[in-house]
Amino acid sequence: AFLQKTNLNGESVYEQLAKVVGKVLDEKPDDAVDLLETSVMVKKTAFKPADPPLMAADPKNVATAVALKELYCAPKREIDPESGEPIEPAEDLLNEFESENIVGDAAMYEAVGLGLSMSEMYGVMLCAKRLGEDPKKNCATVRFFGKVLGTDGDYYVFETSIKEHEPVEDAPETPPGQVPPEPAGEGSNEYTYFVCSHLGGAFTRLPDLTPAAVVAARKIKKYFTGDLTAPVWSYPAFPGDEAMYLRAQVGRIVSATVVSPAGYLVAVGEDEEPKKLVQPGTEDYPDLPAFEEKEDLQEMREPVNWSHRYRYLKKQGRVEQYTPPEDADPDAPAVDPPEPDVDPELLVTLDGDTESECVDWGSCVMEEIDGSAQKQPAWTSCTSSNVVGVKNQTVAIKSMVWPGAFAVYQAGPKFSNCYVGYGIKNAPYVPAPPPAVLNEAEEIPKESDALPPKADAAPAE
């Protein structure tokens, strides 16, 4: 133990003697008895690498790493100041919610080579758990919409339904002459969306969708920056910041690409009331025929076996068409009448999307074939394996109108929707024309520059 004591440089007599003996045995010098000089030579020729330079860490990366670490760790318990023991969290303080099997969906995504990686989806699952259990958010359901990519940062978007919407104080009023938005929990605002810039980061609630934002978003093409407070510089001018633009694009994407197997859901309700989607054959709806799976899984590659799950977002920017009331103020600016638009039924199949006149559906970018423009299919499909007879295959359909949107299906039935892309529609961009040039102003009559005539002098007396 005495020989193994180290000095300030971390060297010990035992290590030094071992090096001397090793050097003598390796080199076998003629004068091997001069151990002292050999020991000095070993010490002088020892190589000591310099300490590597310290790299300055970006504070933003450090914060991201800390948030991700805390996401995977167990939540910290509060300490009782009197006993010093950790306080067991009360289970009734956590909010109860429903969610899809995100990790199970990730396995289907991985089978067809779409979506995010398995490790990233596990972090998404933990984020959805944290969001759903937060009693302040009051979420009834949580669904992972997808990941919207940006130039300086990305957005993880989560779709939620709120148990009870609280009245918003100091809500902005709709300017005169514009179409009012639909109330929270109805129509285009049926779902509430939360985003975070990185896994484990703080959630930010996106604003409710306004018709003006939808109409303006359909006229521009912009990449996201990753900053919700960034202005959206465009022509025509966009009414809001990037948070509103993100909400508008998410609303357009879910209206066009969130699908389910045809027959898996059924719309029930009165004719005058909004219909509700239910699963037939369950305990609540035993009279409705249950969903029957296809014998051949390859049939799910056909668009006719899929149906739109969300309602169509009309040209006006709303799900329900708005008509100004008859007793409106005659002195206020009038609301423009709605443009002629189609009204597809809920759960309409995807086989008509290519020829559809819906503004966010339609066909893919038209391609010149033999000198004429031909419409391209709105949907394409793929499978996890092309080998015949492989069990537990996964089928996926991908939107060609909104690149990055897809749906997967496995026997069971199991299906899921997801989006990973830049939030840009695959359609020709036609810039809006500039406003009309104003007419020349009318000429204003100009007074004469001549001096007024002098008054005649009075005659002398």
Side-chain angles (χ1 to χ4, degrees):
F2 174 76
L3 296 178
Q4 292 181 351
K5 290 184 178 180
T6 59
N7 58 6
L8 298 178
N9 296 329
E11 299 174 344
S12 65
V13 177
Y14 179 84
E15 293 179 354
Q16 192 68 17
L17 292 175
K19 291 179 181 179
V20 171
V21 173
K23 190 172 183 64
V24 170
L25 295 176
D26 291 340
E27 298 181 1
K28 297 180 180 180
D30 297 335
D31 192 6
V33 296
D34 196 357
L35 299 179
L36 180 60
E37 294 182 1
T38 307
S39 175
V40 173
M41 181 174 58
V42 170
K43 193 170 184 180
K44 287 184 177 180
T45 58
F47 174 71
K48 295 182 179 180
D51 295 335
L54 298 177
M55 301 295 293
D58 188 355
K60 184 183 297 184
N61 296 337
V62 173
T64 303
V66 171
L68 184 61
K69 179 181 177 181
E70 293 180 353
L71 180 65
Y72 280 83
C73 295
K76 297 181 180 179
R77 300 180 183 179
E78 297 182 2
I79 304 298
D80 190 349
E82 297 181 357
S83 62
E85 298 293 333
I87 302 175
E88 294 292 337
E91 296 182 359
D92 56 348
L93 296 180
L94 299 179
N95 179 55
E96 295 184 359
F97 71 102
E98 295 181 358
S99 177
E100 298 178 344
N101 185 1
I102 297 179
V103 176
D105 295 343
M108 293 192 290
Y109 301 163
E110 189 177 42
V112 293
L114 299 174
L116 306 178
S117 64
M118 183 68 76
S119 59
E120 192 171 5
M121 287 296 292
Y122 190 84
V124 169
M125 180 272 294
L126 296 178
C127 287
K129 180 176 180 293
R130 176 182 293 184
L131 174 63
E133 291 181 347
D134 190 351
K136 297 181 180 179
K137 302 295 191 297
N138 197 24
C139 298
T141 61
V142 177
R143 184 183 76 89
F144 178 57
F145 162 79
K147 184 177 181 179
V148 180
L149 309 178
T151 56
D152 297 329
D154 305 329
Y155 296 112
Y156 294 90
V157 185
F158 295 86
E159 178 186 272
T160 67
S161 58
I162 306 301
K163 295 180 180 178
E164 184 178 356
H165 291 274
E166 299 180 357
V168 180
E169 298 180 358
D170 301 331
E173 297 183 358
T174 304
Q178 292 190 9
V179 179
E182 293 177 286
E186 300 180 11
S188 58
N189 290 315
E190 180 179 0
Y191 296 99
T192 303
Y193 293 87
F194 292 88
V195 300
C196 59
S197 57
H198 55 271
L199 296 178
F203 289 103
T204 302
R205 177 173 176 170
L206 296 182
D208 288 342
L209 188 58
T210 61
V214 176
V215 174
R218 286 169 171 163
K219 298 179 180 179
I220 63 176
K221 272 194 176 183
K222 292 281 292 184
Y223 282 108
F224 293 97
T225 65
D227 182 9
L228 292 175
T229 61
V232 180
W233 303 109
S234 64
Y235 179 80
F238 185 81
D241 53 9
E242 185 163 298
M244 178 59 76
Y245 180 56
L246 176 61
R247 178 64 182 88
Q249 293 300 90
V250 168
R252 297 174 62 195
I253 293 172
V254 297
S255 172
T257 63
V258 175
V259 297
S260 63
Y264 184 82
L265 298 174
V266 176
V268 297
E270 302 294 336
D271 294 338
E272 299 180 357
E273 298 179 359
K275 294 186 177 181
K276 178 183 178 182
L277 295 181
V278 299
Q279 187 174 351
T282 57
E283 296 180 358
D284 297 334
Y285 301 92
D287 298 336
L288 299 177
F291 172 72
E292 296 182 0
E293 293 191 64
K294 302 295 182 183
E295 296 182 358
D296 186 4
L297 194 64
Q298 297 296 325
E299 296 183 22
M300 295 304 299
R301 301 183 62 175
E302 300 297 330
V304 70
N305 293 319
W306 293 85
S307 59
H308 284 280
R309 191 166 136 199
Y310 288 2
R311 301 183 64 187
Y312 166 58
L313 196 59
K314 296 181 173 62
K315 295 180 180 179
Q316 197 182 45
R318 292 168 51 108
V319 169
E320 296 290 343
Q321 198 85 353
Y322 174 75
T323 303
E326 297 180 357
D327 56 349
D329 187 3
D331 298 333
V335 178
D336 295 335
E339 301 180 21
D341 201 355
V342 295
D343 190 12
E345 296 181 358
L346 192 59
L347 297 178
V348 64
T349 56
L350 307 186
D351 54 329
D353 281 14
T354 303
E355 302 294 337
S356 176
E357 297 180 0
C358 298
V359 62
D360 286 325
W361 299 6
S363 63
C364 182
V365 173
M366 302 182 69
E367 184 179 353
E368 292 289 338
I369 300 178
D370 297 334
S372 61
Q374 302 291 334
K375 291 184 177 181
Q376 299 302 303
W379 295 87
T380 185
S381 63
C382 65
T383 58
S384 57
S385 177
N386 293 328
V387 179
V388 180
V390 174
K391 297 181 179 180
N392 301 324
Q393 285 205 37
T394 303
V395 176
I397 59 169
K398 301 181 292 183
S399 174
M400 303 300 292
V401 180
W402 292 96
F406 63 92
V408 293
Y409 179 88
Q410 273 187 353
K414 295 185 294 183
F415 70 95
S416 176
N417 294 266
C418 190
Y419 176 84
V420 180
Y422 289 93
I424 296 179
K425 184 180 178 181
N426 185 16
Y429 175 58
V430 181
V437 179
L438 299 177
N439 297 328
E440 293 287 344
E442 298 180 359
E443 294 186 1
I444 302 176
K446 186 178 180 181
E447 297 182 359
S448 175
D449 295 336
L451 297 175
K454 297 182 178 180
D456 295 339
E461 294 181 356

